[in-house]
Amino acid sequence: MTPAGSRRGQRLDRYDELRGERPESFVNPPGAAFEIVFDRTVQLAVADEMARRLREAGRPEEFGDIGVVYEDAFVIAVRDAVRFRDGSVRPYIRLLGATVGTGAAVMPMLTDGRILLAWHFRHASRGWQWEIPRGFAEPGDDGATTATRELREEVGVAVDKVELLGRITADGNNDEIYLARLNAADLPEVMTDDATGEGLDEIKLVRPAELARMIADGEITDEYLLAAYAFAVAKQVW
């Protein structure tokens, strides 16, 4: 077997293994617009066609492999062979969380109604944005556990209870949004080492009306904060 063949085989073997671990991520519901094709002959044919196109473009042909093409402690990049509604079969890439658990975000709200926002530098966008604490799940964690852990790590406050506001689907993953009610006296005087290490540079307390203005003025772009605000308004939290 050629090195390329060995690489492709390994990626497809891991893909089949992942299918066994997470069958819900590989279902083909009736009427789905994009049908995942599991026949290895077809998968390899799609990879061959992509390799040809990539060579012509002067790019590494492995960029077109089908299967698990990247995996680390946080994400798994999967490139499926997908049959589209016009009958063509082409690659379609997606990201899955590396662990089985529920990711979460949590909106911290003080007893006086002010909402805590964090000024967070994000590597993906190479810039800052106002956010609420959020994070990936650790293995087996439910959303509430994830939310309380992220609140402790990013804000430095431990709580016993959080309230579920709602659920969203972001980047193909199902995450939960929570509300945490805090006392102002519980907030640390300085940013924790965990927070600054994760790229949080500032904490800001805003009234709901101020948050609404920031959203209207385009100062808020984080989808989790926007979702939390929508849930809070719909549920008349304040």
Side-chain angles (χ1 to χ4, degrees), residues 105-111 113-118 131-134 147 150-151 154-155 157 159 162 165 178-182 187 203-206 211 225 228 238:
V106 55
M107 175 184 279
M109 187 174 74
L110 302 187
T111 53
R114 288 182 295 170
I115 300 148
L116 185 148
L117 307 180
E131 299 182 358
I132 53 176
R134 74 169 191 256
E150 293 300 319
L151 185 63
E154 296 190 8
V155 181
V157 176
V159 296
V162 289
L165 289 176
Y178 287 85
L179 176 72
R181 299 181 186 272
L182 311 178
L187 297 178
I203 292 297
K204 181 176 184 176
L205 298 172
V206 298
L211 179 55
L225 175 51
W238 48 70

Side-chain angles (χ1 to χ4, degrees), residues 104-108 115-135 150-151 154-155 191 195 198-206 211 214-215 219-229:
V106 55
M107 175 184 279
I115 300 148
L116 185 148
L117 307 180
W119 189 235
H120 198 161
F121 185 83
R122 285 289 172 184
H123 172 61
S125 63
R126 303 304 299 159
W128 286 264
Q129 62 182 13
W130 289 112
E131 299 182 358
I132 53 176
R134 74 169 191 256
E150 293 300 319
L151 185 63
E154 296 190 8
V155 181
M191 301 284 291
E198 298 232 356
L200 279 75
D201 290 337
E202 182 184 347
I203 292 297
K204 181 176 184 176
L205 298 172
V206 298
L211 179 55
M214 294 173 71
I215 292 172
E219 296 177 38
I220 305 297
T221 57
D222 175 53
E223 66 268 37
Y224 290 89
L225 175 51
L226 291 169
Y229 178 81

